[in-house]
Amino acid sequence: MGWKRKLGIFAVFAGSMIGTMHVINRVITYIATAENYLDKDSYEYYNWRFGKIAYKKKGKGSPVLLVHNFDVCSSSDEWKNIEKELTKTNTVYSIDLLGCGCSDHPALTYTNFLYVQLITDFIKHIIGEKTDIIVSGDSSSFVLMASANDETIINRIIMINPQNLISLAKVPTKRTKLIKHLIFTPIIGTFIYNMKINKRTISHKFALSYYYDQNTISEKDILTCFESSHKDKGHSRYLYACQKSRYTNANILFCLSKLNNSIFIISGNGNPENALSASQYQNQLPSIEIVEMDNTKQLPHVEKPDEFIEQVRILFADEE
């Protein structure tokens, strides 16, 4: 068989594979977003410099900003179990981070400092006054950095299971940069993303890391996360690629030393590593107070909202 014939066969095979991937990508996007659980029309939008930011504003009183976990599957829907209670005494802002939920998903390199700027600008332009913040998981780092950069915007901070400081400090390597470029490609990158982020992998994450009592896991919550991760034709892959490539990491030890805010950590003790991570922050800043919630894992505010609200009331009341 001549080389031209071999090349022709390879081209046909490659074209067929690309075509199949494209069809699979389109089907997954359709399935993920068909139910419209997030409902873009229910949000207000802040026209930020890098894209539209979806948010909700409810209630009256001193402002509280809710920042969801830094994950392509997450959105402000994460706060639905505690929002109503908080609005009885506060003006509650819940935000979809850039690249997540109903916010825009631009094709750019996402960095930790990008989100520092987002939090800063949102508080200054939308909230308009110093605010308390309740922040979930890996989003904690850029809330802390925003507070360290501008002490006029953030008052008290409650972090829920913040990221391990050692993992957070890891920097991009040649290998991780290659991963970013691969996932950024239109069809192959989208296919890789869809294989990594789908209903099965999200369900596994809920059972393994998010919930202590697996019997309380809601199918609708899984489907909402699935939809969030595939909004805007799978463009969440850009954020996912940057996270996997460590572009969103930052060494925050220096900024911790600059903080004089009242800072609290609520830790789900169902994951032993949560207590370890919390102690890392307290070792760097001894004034941080840690509260453990029994029989919860990564999302205590979702799994036990009443107990979580009680802890919030106690922690914030002590500082008034």
Side-chain angles (χ1 to χ4, degrees), residues 36-77:
N36 193 31
Y37 288 114
L38 293 176
D39 187 12
K40 293 186 73 169
D41 294 336
S42 66
Y43 290 81
E44 297 182 62
Y45 288 87
Y46 165 43
N47 290 310
W48 192 45
R49 68 185 92 168
F50 293 109
K52 290 183 179 180
I53 303 301
Y55 72 94
K56 293 182 179 179
K57 176 185 176 182
K58 300 177 182 178
K60 291 184 179 180
S62 60
V64 176
L65 174 60
L66 305 178
V67 183
H68 64 77
N69 185 29
F70 192 37
D71 189 293
V72 292
C73 300
S74 298
S75 68
S76 54
D77 184 74

Side-chain angles (χ1 to χ4, degrees), residues 141 144-150 165 168-169 250-261 263 280-281 284-285:
S141 62
L144 294 176
M145 290 180 68
S147 185
N149 286 342
D150 188 341
L165 288 174
L168 185 60
N251 189 331
I252 64 170
L253 293 182
F254 177 72
C255 90
L256 280 173
S257 66
K258 294 174 59 178
L259 293 170
N260 54 19
N261 308 66
I263 301 174
Q280 290 177 341
Y281 287 83
Q284 297 297 323
L285 192 62

Side-chain angles (χ1 to χ4, degrees), residues 16-249:
S16 299
M17 288 296 294
I18 294 295
T20 301
M21 288 181 187
H22 179 64
V23 171
I24 292 173
N25 291 340
R26 293 289 296 271
V27 170
I28 290 176
T29 298
Y30 174 78
I31 293 172
T33 59
E35 296 297 333
N36 193 31
Y37 288 114
L38 293 176
D39 187 12
K40 293 186 73 169
D41 294 336
S42 66
Y43 290 81
E44 297 182 62
Y45 288 87
Y46 165 43
N47 290 310
W48 192 45
R49 68 185 92 168
F50 293 109
K52 290 183 179 180
I53 303 301
Y55 72 94
K56 293 182 179 179
K57 176 185 176 182
K58 300 177 182 178
K60 291 184 179 180
S62 60
V64 176
L65 174 60
L66 305 178
V67 183
H68 64 77
N69 185 29
F70 192 37
D71 189 293
V72 292
C73 300
S74 298
S75 68
S76 54
D77 184 74
E78 182 178 322
W79 305 105
K80 65 181 184 296
N81 292 347
I82 68 167
E83 268 183 326
K84 185 176 180 180
E85 190 65 29
L86 284 175
T87 57
K88 293 178 179 179
T89 53
N90 299 89
T91 303
V92 179
Y93 296 83
S94 54
I95 187 175
D96 280 3
L97 297 171
L98 191 71
C100 301
C102 292
S103 290
D104 282 349
H105 303 72
L108 51 77
T109 298
Y110 294 79
T111 65
N112 193 287
F113 192 68
L114 178 75
Y115 291 97
V116 172
Q117 288 298 305
L118 171 57
I119 294 297
T120 301
D121 291 344
F122 185 84
I123 293 172
K124 288 183 175 181
H125 299 155
I126 301 299
I127 299 178
E129 60 181 299
K130 200 169 187 177
T131 184
D132 294 327
I133 292 185
I134 304 176
V135 55
S136 175
D138 294 357
S139 297
S140 300
S141 62
F142 47 81
V143 168
L144 294 176
M145 290 180 68
S147 185
N149 286 342
D150 188 341
E151 62 183 18
T152 68
I153 60 171
I154 298 174
N155 187 17
R156 299 168 294 189
I157 301 171
I158 292 179
M159 300 187 291
I160 306 167
N161 296 317
Q163 187 176 1
N164 182 290
L165 288 174
I166 297 174
S167 299
L168 185 60
K170 292 180 179 179
V171 299
T173 64
K174 289 182 179 179
R175 177 180 170 276
T176 63
K177 290 177 182 178
L178 181 62
I179 292 173
K180 172 180 175 286
H181 290 305
L182 181 60
I183 298 176
F184 263 52
T185 57
I187 296 177
I188 296 175
T190 303
F191 183 78
I192 293 171
Y193 175 74
N194 287 335
M195 294 302 100
K196 292 291 185 180
I197 306 295
N198 51 60
K199 185 183 175 185
R200 181 184 59 81
T201 59
I202 293 169
S203 298
H204 181 70
K205 185 181 290 186
F206 266 70
L208 185 66
S209 302
Y210 283 0
Y211 276 71
Y212 181 86
D213 183 359
Q214 296 185 20
N215 293 321
T216 62
I217 295 175
S218 164
E219 179 74 5
K220 184 179 178 181
D221 285 347
I222 293 173
L223 292 174
T224 301
C225 287
F226 185 33
E227 178 182 322
S228 178
S229 64
H230 288 81
K231 280 283 190 183
D232 198 11
K233 299 179 181 179
H235 286 185
S236 291
R237 76 177 190 277
Y238 299 125
L239 172 56
Y240 177 80
C242 293
Q243 288 178 312
K244 290 300 178 182
S245 304
R246 303 175 183 170
Y247 282 93
T248 56
N249 285 359

